[in-house]
Amino acid sequence: MRSVDRLISALKRLPGIGPKQAERLSLHLLRAPRAEAENLAEALLEAKDAMRFCARCGDFTDKELCGLCGDPSRDQALLCVVEEPQDVAAFERSRAFKGLYHVLHGSLSPLDGIGPERIKVRELLERLKSAPGVVREVVVATDPDTEGEATALYLGQVLKPFAVKVTRIAHGVPMGGDLDYMDERTLSCALTGRREL
Amino acid sequence: MRSVDRLISALKRLPGIGPKQAERLSLHLLRAPRAEAENLAEALLEAKDAMRFCARCGDFTDKELCGLCGDPSRDQALLCVVEEPQDVAAFERSRAFKGLYHVLHGSLSPLDGIGPERIKVRELLERLKSAPGVVREVVVATDPDTEGEATALYLGQVLKPFAVKVTRIAHGVPMGGDLDYMDERTLSCALTGRREL
């Protein structure tokens, strides 16, 4: 096997990278300066070795606690529950949320055999128990798909015994979106959730 | 900068990888077994170090001559001229061509200042000169776009002094394609190039 074919097959194994894109990427990497290839290989192994999950929220971090959990200026009373670390990154980019996060690392999917024990629900409940009264609102920001909605409903149930307000992010038409291109469920959610101006 | 952010930014620099896909890829790599990350990093550096261009055809190879140029069972009289190494891979997958290749590593694009001296035209002419009479047909298989067509016309000119037949791959509707979705130029080419059944 030529070394370029080994590289192509390693790239093809990545999610969302098809055979054509793997070829194009490897061609790019072989033509780029060696420093760029080295940088990518090093970043990959360094991240692989250094990264772990924050002991509190489950986001990626290089330390015991992530930067957000260790930041006293964040609102400790607000907890946003998301499915994946990239959701934390997305909310942080929006600068719209000043509280803390909890990453479930997945969503409930009974058909795939993914029950509450497979995602970090227990950790969420323990977090609330370990510091009673600190968190006053849990914002459930799981994805607006079947699994995310099921997870939101489930969290609503298990969070009932706690003295916290449980909210769900709003569903509706995305900003900048074109109404013509929205599916019926989104339009229906946008109508149901309408607010007075 | 967290190590995961360094990885994301290294991935984002690759062609066709947007910020979202870079996030998804790094998440996948961080969750995958370390062996997978190691395999990719090693494949990348190994390819970077081992790969060079075949001294004859310009395709990627680990050796002085690529496997195709060194294979005596390939038809030495047929030479297929392509723009990029991935075009060689594409033709080889089709199993439709039994001759040898010549990789130009680009196409003519006067607007971008890419003239014949920037692509491997000189190497092609020298290859024909160095073994007169061996190659009997040059199949110009540059892309069916403006640059590829310009390159094909140019090659037709410069190959005139040689005693070789110069042919161009057929243009037409792609197999499995839907006529409704074809652009007018493709349909017009498909009509002009029609053959008796």
Side-chain angles (χ1 to χ4, degrees):
Chain A
M1 199 188 219
R2 292 186 306 172
S3 53
V4 67
D5 297 320
R6 194 188 150 200
L7 175 59
I8 291 172
S9 82
L11 288 167
K12 259 197 300 207
R13 296 184 54 191
L14 298 176
I17 305 282
K20 284 220 172 291
Q21 200 179 4
E23 264 182 20
R24 212 158 44 224
L25 287 173
S26 62
L27 190 75
H28 167 86
L29 286 163
L30 290 173
R31 281 186 178 156
R34 195 176 195 284
E36 186 174 334
E38 266 168 17
N39 179 43
L40 175 60
E42 274 171 27
L44 172 57
L45 293 182
E46 193 190 296
K48 198 73 197 166
D49 289 331
M51 289 310 290
R52 39 178 152 162
F53 298 125
C54 171
R56 193 171 294 163
C57 75
D59 193 11
F60 283 128
T61 176
D62 289 353
K63 311 191 202 81
E64 171 73 8
L65 277 192
C66 75
L68 295 169
C69 284
D71 179 356
S73 76
R74 305 288 301 201
D75 186 349
Q76 312 285 318
L78 258 180
L79 189 62
C80 179
V81 179
V82 296
E83 293 182 12
E84 304 290 350
Q86 60 261 52
D87 301 327
V88 173
F91 275 112
E92 284 304 295
R93 275 195 300 271
S94 80
R95 289 164 201 258
F97 185 72
K98 297 296 173 207
L100 297 173
Y101 295 93
H102 186 85
V103 183
L104 293 173
H105 286 277
S107 52
L108 296 182
S109 181
L111 287 176
D112 302 317
I114 299 178
E117 72 290 348
R118 293 275 295 277
I119 62 176
K120 308 234 175 267
V121 170
R122 189 173 48 84
E123 287 80 353
L124 171 63
L125 302 182
E126 273 165 13
R127 193 171 164 187
L128 293 174
K129 269 180 215 156
S130 70
V134 172
V135 174
R136 279 195 297 272
E137 180 177 347
V138 173
V139 183
V140 181
T142 50
D143 285 344
D145 55 14
T146 317
E147 291 81 12
E149 293 301 329
T151 311
L153 281 176
Y154 175 80
L155 289 179
Q157 293 293 321
V158 294
L159 290 174
K160 261 195 189 144
F162 294 87
V164 290
K165 193 166 143 189
V166 181
T167 56
R168 179 88 175 103
I169 48 163
H171 294 50
V173 290
M175 298 301 293
D178 194 331
L179 280 190
D180 285 7
Y181 287 90
M182 295 297 137
D183 64 294
E184 290 158 24
R185 272 194 70 209
T186 299
L187 284 179
S188 146
C189 284
L191 272 177
T192 314
R194 68 190 181 276
R195 291 181 196 184
E196 219 168 312
L197 275 176
Chain B
M1 197 188 221
R2 290 186 307 171
S3 53
V4 67
D5 297 319
R6 193 188 152 201
L7 175 57
I8 291 173
S9 84
L11 287 167
K12 259 197 298 210
R13 298 182 53 191
L14 298 175
I17 305 281
K20 285 221 171 288
Q21 199 177 7
E23 265 184 16
R24 213 159 42 225
L25 288 174
S26 61
L27 189 76
H28 168 85
L29 287 164
L30 289 173
R31 283 190 176 152
R34 196 177 194 285
E36 186 172 336
E38 264 170 17
N39 179 44
L40 175 60
E42 274 170 28
L44 172 57
L45 293 181
E46 192 191 296
K48 198 73 197 167
D49 289 331
M51 288 311 292
R52 39 178 154 162
F53 297 125
C54 170
R56 193 171 297 160
C57 74
D59 192 11
F60 283 129
T61 177
D62 290 352
K63 310 191 202 78
E64 171 73 9
L65 277 191
C66 74
L68 295 169
C69 284
D71 178 356
S73 77
R74 307 286 302 200
D75 186 348
Q76 313 283 318
L78 258 179
L79 190 61
C80 178
V81 179
V82 295
E83 293 182 14
E84 303 291 349
Q86 59 261 51
D87 301 328
V88 174
F91 275 113
E92 284 303 295
R93 275 196 299 272
S94 80
R95 291 162 200 258
F97 185 73
K98 299 294 172 208
L100 297 172
Y101 295 92
H102 187 86
V103 183
L104 293 174
H105 287 275
S107 52
L108 295 182
S109 180
L111 288 175
D112 302 316
I114 300 179
E117 72 290 348
R118 293 274 296 276
I119 61 175
K120 308 232 173 270
V121 170
R122 188 173 48 83
E123 288 80 353
L124 172 63
L125 302 181
E126 272 166 13
R127 192 172 164 186
L128 293 173
K129 269 179 213 153
S130 70
V134 172
V135 174
R136 278 194 299 271
E137 180 176 347
V138 174
V139 183
V140 181
T142 50
D143 285 344
D145 55 15
T146 317
E147 292 80 13
E149 294 300 328
T151 310
L153 282 175
Y154 176 80
L155 288 179
Q157 295 293 320
V158 293
L159 290 174
K160 260 194 189 142
F162 295 87
V164 289
K165 192 166 145 190
V166 181
T167 56
R168 178 88 175 103
I169 48 163
H171 293 48
V173 289
M175 298 302 292
D178 193 331
L179 281 189
D180 284 9
Y181 288 90
M182 295 298 135
D183 63 294
E184 289 158 24
R185 270 195 71 212
T186 299
L187 284 179
S188 145
C189 283
L191 272 177
T192 315
R194 68 187 182 278
R195 290 181 195 184
E196 217 168 313
L197 275 176

Short mmCIF file of all heavy atoms in Angstrom, two decimals, chain A residues 39-60:
data_model
loop_
_atom_site.label_atom_id
_atom_site.label_comp_id
_atom_site.label_asym_id
_atom_site.label_seq_id
_atom_site.Cartn_x
_atom_site.Cartn_y
_atom_site.Cartn_z
N ASN A 39 1.91 20.28 12.20
CA ASN A 39 1.03 20.98 13.12
C ASN A 39 -0.25 20.20 13.37
O ASN A 39 -0.68 20.04 14.51
CB ASN A 39 0.70 22.36 12.54
CG ASN A 39 -0.23 23.15 13.44
OD1 ASN A 39 -0.05 23.16 14.65
ND2 ASN A 39 -1.24 23.77 12.86
N LEU A 40 -0.82 19.64 12.28
CA LEU A 40 -2.06 18.88 12.42
C LEU A 40 -1.81 17.60 13.21
O LEU A 40 -2.55 17.27 14.14
CB LEU A 40 -2.64 18.56 11.04
CG LEU A 40 -3.87 17.67 11.02
CD1 LEU A 40 -5.02 18.29 11.80
CD2 LEU A 40 -4.32 17.38 9.59
N ALA A 41 -0.74 16.88 12.86
CA ALA A 41 -0.45 15.61 13.54
C ALA A 41 -0.19 15.85 15.03
O ALA A 41 -0.67 15.12 15.89
CB ALA A 41 0.75 14.92 12.88
N GLU A 42 0.56 16.92 15.32
CA GLU A 42 0.88 17.24 16.72
C GLU A 42 -0.36 17.66 17.49
O GLU A 42 -0.59 17.22 18.62
CB GLU A 42 1.88 18.38 16.78
CG GLU A 42 3.32 17.93 16.68
CD GLU A 42 4.25 19.15 16.52
OE1 GLU A 42 3.87 20.24 17.00
OE2 GLU A 42 5.29 18.98 15.90
N ALA A 43 -1.17 18.54 16.86
CA ALA A 43 -2.38 19.03 17.52
C ALA A 43 -3.28 17.85 17.87
O ALA A 43 -3.89 17.80 18.94
CB ALA A 43 -3.13 20.01 16.61
N LEU A 44 -3.34 16.89 16.96
CA LEU A 44 -4.19 15.72 17.16
C LEU A 44 -3.72 14.90 18.34
O LEU A 44 -4.50 14.58 19.25
CB LEU A 44 -4.16 14.90 15.86
CG LEU A 44 -4.82 13.54 15.85
CD1 LEU A 44 -6.28 13.67 16.26
CD2 LEU A 44 -4.72 12.93 14.47
N LEU A 45 -2.43 14.57 18.37
CA LEU A 45 -1.93 13.72 19.45
C LEU A 45 -1.91 14.48 20.78
O LEU A 45 -2.22 13.91 21.83
CB LEU A 45 -0.53 13.20 19.11
CG LEU A 45 -0.53 12.23 17.92
CD1 LEU A 45 0.87 11.72 17.65
CD2 LEU A 45 -1.47 11.06 18.18
N GLU A 46 -1.60 15.77 20.72
CA GLU A 46 -1.57 16.57 21.94
C GLU A 46 -2.97 16.65 22.55
O GLU A 46 -3.16 16.45 23.75
CB GLU A 46 -1.07 17.98 21.61
CG GLU A 46 -0.71 18.82 22.82
CD GLU A 46 -0.48 20.26 22.38
OE1 GLU A 46 0.47 20.48 21.61
OE2 GLU A 46 -1.25 21.13 22.81
N ALA A 47 -3.97 16.94 21.68
CA ALA A 47 -5.35 17.02 22.17
C ALA A 47 -5.77 15.67 22.73
O ALA A 47 -6.38 15.59 23.80
CB ALA A 47 -6.29 17.44 21.04
N LYS A 48 -5.40 14.61 22.01
CA LYS A 48 -5.75 13.26 22.44
C LYS A 48 -5.18 12.98 23.84
O LYS A 48 -5.83 12.33 24.65
CB LYS A 48 -5.18 12.28 21.42
CG LYS A 48 -5.77 10.91 21.45
CD LYS A 48 -7.16 10.87 20.89
CE LYS A 48 -7.86 9.59 21.32
NZ LYS A 48 -9.29 9.64 21.09
N ASP A 49 -3.97 13.44 24.09
CA ASP A 49 -3.34 13.16 25.38
C ASP A 49 -3.81 14.10 26.48
O ASP A 49 -3.98 13.70 27.62
CB ASP A 49 -1.81 13.25 25.25
CG ASP A 49 -1.27 12.07 24.45
OD1 ASP A 49 -1.93 11.01 24.50
OD2 ASP A 49 -0.24 12.22 23.79
N ALA A 50 -3.99 15.38 26.12
CA ALA A 50 -4.27 16.38 27.16
C ALA A 50 -5.74 16.46 27.51
O ALA A 50 -6.10 16.78 28.64
CB ALA A 50 -3.77 17.75 26.71
N MET A 51 -6.63 16.20 26.52
CA MET A 51 -8.03 16.46 26.75
C MET A 51 -8.67 15.44 27.67
O MET A 51 -8.46 14.27 27.55
CB MET A 51 -8.79 16.47 25.42
CG MET A 51 -8.49 17.66 24.56
SD MET A 51 -8.61 19.21 25.44
CE MET A 51 -10.37 19.30 25.67
N ARG A 52 -9.48 15.95 28.60
CA ARG A 52 -10.35 15.07 29.36
C ARG A 52 -11.66 15.80 29.57
O ARG A 52 -11.83 16.93 29.12
CB ARG A 52 -9.72 14.71 30.70
CG ARG A 52 -9.01 15.87 31.33
CD ARG A 52 -8.45 15.45 32.66
NE ARG A 52 -7.28 16.22 33.01
CZ ARG A 52 -6.83 16.28 34.25
NH1 ARG A 52 -7.42 15.59 35.21
NH2 ARG A 52 -5.77 17.00 34.52
N PHE A 53 -12.61 15.14 30.24
CA PHE A 53 -13.89 15.78 30.48
C PHE A 53 -13.83 16.52 31.80
O PHE A 53 -13.28 16.01 32.78
CB PHE A 53 -15.01 14.74 30.49
CG PHE A 53 -15.15 14.04 29.18
CD1 PHE A 53 -15.09 12.66 29.09
CD2 PHE A 53 -15.30 14.77 28.01
CE1 PHE A 53 -15.20 12.03 27.86
CE2 PHE A 53 -15.42 14.14 26.78
CZ PHE A 53 -15.37 12.76 26.71
N CYS A 54 -14.38 17.72 31.83
CA CYS A 54 -14.47 18.50 33.05
C CYS A 54 -15.19 17.66 34.11
O CYS A 54 -16.24 17.07 33.83
CB CYS A 54 -15.23 19.79 32.79
SG CYS A 54 -15.63 20.71 34.29
N ALA A 55 -14.63 17.59 35.31
CA ALA A 55 -15.20 16.75 36.36
C ALA A 55 -16.58 17.23 36.75
O ALA A 55 -17.39 16.47 37.28
CB ALA A 55 -14.28 16.76 37.58
N ARG A 56 -16.92 18.48 36.47
CA ARG A 56 -18.22 18.99 36.85
C ARG A 56 -19.22 18.96 35.71
O ARG A 56 -20.28 18.36 35.82
CB ARG A 56 -18.09 20.42 37.41
CG ARG A 56 -19.37 20.86 38.13
CD ARG A 56 -19.19 22.18 38.86
NE ARG A 56 -18.24 22.07 39.96
CZ ARG A 56 -17.66 23.15 40.54
NH1 ARG A 56 -17.94 24.37 40.10
NH2 ARG A 56 -16.81 22.99 41.52
N CYS A 57 -18.88 19.60 34.57
CA CYS A 57 -19.90 19.76 33.53
C CYS A 57 -19.76 18.76 32.38
O CYS A 57 -20.69 18.60 31.60
CB CYS A 57 -19.87 21.18 32.97
SG CYS A 57 -18.47 21.50 31.88
N GLY A 58 -18.60 18.10 32.24
CA GLY A 58 -18.46 17.11 31.17
C GLY A 58 -17.97 17.69 29.86
O GLY A 58 -17.82 16.97 28.88
N ASP A 59 -17.70 19.01 29.81
CA ASP A 59 -17.14 19.60 28.59
C ASP A 59 -15.67 19.20 28.48
O ASP A 59 -15.06 18.75 29.44
CB ASP A 59 -17.26 21.14 28.68
CG ASP A 59 -16.98 21.81 27.34
OD1 ASP A 59 -16.90 21.11 26.31
OD2 ASP A 59 -16.84 23.05 27.32
N PHE A 60 -15.11 19.36 27.28
CA PHE A 60 -13.69 19.09 27.12
C PHE A 60 -12.87 20.10 27.89
O PHE A 60 -13.22 21.28 27.96
CB PHE A 60 -13.28 19.19 25.64
CG PHE A 60 -13.69 18.01 24.85
CD1 PHE A 60 -14.41 18.15 23.68
CD2 PHE A 60 -13.34 16.73 25.25
CE1 PHE A 60 -14.77 17.04 22.92
CE2 PHE A 60 -13.70 15.62 24.51
CZ PHE A 60 -14.42 15.79 23.35
#
